[in-house]
């Protein structure tokens, strides 16, 4: 099996999900007591959040690229960035390493294309919903994204950072998300992207009649394919 390097801690809650899903799936595939060869480098999330608030994406990219190089130096055969938002600085990471980079945008796009969809709702941090890096990545696969209104985006972003990232789960926040998704469905969305790796802690497929694309899960499955590939 290949060794996977995970850039994690953004937030710890979702990194835990990655670790669990990857190991459970590898064990199911290989049997016995097999677990995945994974190296996790967990960043101080506050440093990344500070960069986001200042719009200092260059420094954030340098921090994560340095971490990726360290993972590579201790044996990682590939690098996974366990967050949607920070894929904004993925080019800095890719440029710094000499091993494959597993993109969450690619993993999500492949799953949407497999369903034959070309219009989906996109929920995530304000950076994911409002900036072009994520939507353009999906557009390159022929996928159009519908995003919530200004006030709805503010609510989604606040719930992610003030609640989900610190392990707070509220029924009222869940209902807020479901109401927003239902409005986007009325606008023609055929499915919904949980475009922040924490959102899957709040809502899932059982809560909706639209197909749900849980990016953390899809990315973890991409990781398993990489680990198990000969």
């Amino acid at each position: 099996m290949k060794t996977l390097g995970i850039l994690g801690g953004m937030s710890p809650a979702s990194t835990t999900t990655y670790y669990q899903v990857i190991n459970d799936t590898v064990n199911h595939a290989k049997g016995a007591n097999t677990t995945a060869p994974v190296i996790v480098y967990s960043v101080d999330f506050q440093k990344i959040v500070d960069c986001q608030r200042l719009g200092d994406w260059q420094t954030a990219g340098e921090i994560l690229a340095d971490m990726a190089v360290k993972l590579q130096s201790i044996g990682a055969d590939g690098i996974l960035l366990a967050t949607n938002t920070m894929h904004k600085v993925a080019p800095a990471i890719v440029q710094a390493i000499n091993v494959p980079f597993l993109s969450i945008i690619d993993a999500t796009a492949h799953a949407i294309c497999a369903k034959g969809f070309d219009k989906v709702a996109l929920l995530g941090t304000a950076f994911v919903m409002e900036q072009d890096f994520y939507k353009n990545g999906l557009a390159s696969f022929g996928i159009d994204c519908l995003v919530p209104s200004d006030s709805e985006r503010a609510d989604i972003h606040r719930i992610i950072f003030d609640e989900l990232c610190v392990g707070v789960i509220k029924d009222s926040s869940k209902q807020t998300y479901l109401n927003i998704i239902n409005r986007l469905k009325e606008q023609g969305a055929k499915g919904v992207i949980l475009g922040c790796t924490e959102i899957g802690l709040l809502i899932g497929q059982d809560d909706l009649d639209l197909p749900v694309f849980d990016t953390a899960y899809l990315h973890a499955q991409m990781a398993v394919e990489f680990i198990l590939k000969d």
Side-chain angles (χ1 to χ4, degrees), residues 57-169:
W57 298 100
Q58 180 175 340
T59 297
E62 291 170 355
I63 291 170
L64 294 176
D66 180 65
M67 292 169 61
V69 169
K70 290 176 180 176
L71 285 170
Q72 178 180 294
S73 71
I74 58 175
D77 298 309
I79 301 297
L80 178 147
L81 177 59
T83 161
N84 284 275
T85 298
M86 296 316 298
H87 272 66
K88 179 177 174 67
V89 301
I93 298 170
V94 171
Q95 186 175 9
I97 59 177
N98 298 313
V99 295
F101 176 80
L102 282 63
S103 166
I104 198 169
I105 299 175
D106 289 353
T108 303
H110 291 154
I112 295 169
C113 290
K115 289 283 190 180
F117 297 163
D118 60 4
K119 182 177 289 188
V120 292
L122 174 62
L123 274 61
T125 65
F127 311 109
V128 165
M129 294 184 289
E130 296 172 2
Q131 298 185 19
D132 290 336
F133 72 97
Y134 206 95
K135 290 179 284 188
N136 286 349
L138 293 172
S140 69
F141 288 86
I143 300 166
D144 182 31
C145 293
L146 298 176
V147 297
S149 67
D150 290 353
S151 62
E152 290 171 339
R153 294 198 302 270
D155 284 339
I156 291 169
H157 186 86
R158 175 187 57 77
I159 289 167
I160 289 170
F161 279 93
D162 293 352
E163 298 175 19
L164 302 182
C165 284
V166 292
V168 176
I169 307 297

Side-chain angles (χ1 to χ4, degrees), residues 30-67:
K30 303 290 285 187
N33 291 309
T34 305
T35 54
V38 170
I39 310 168
V40 179
Y41 195 144
S42 187
V43 68
D44 177 359
F45 190 30
Q46 187 60 53
K47 292 180 179 179
I48 300 299
V49 170
D50 289 343
C51 288
Q52 292 174 346
R53 288 174 177 167
L54 293 170
D56 188 0
W57 298 100
Q58 180 175 340
T59 297
E62 291 170 355
I63 291 170
L64 294 176
D66 180 65
M67 292 169 61

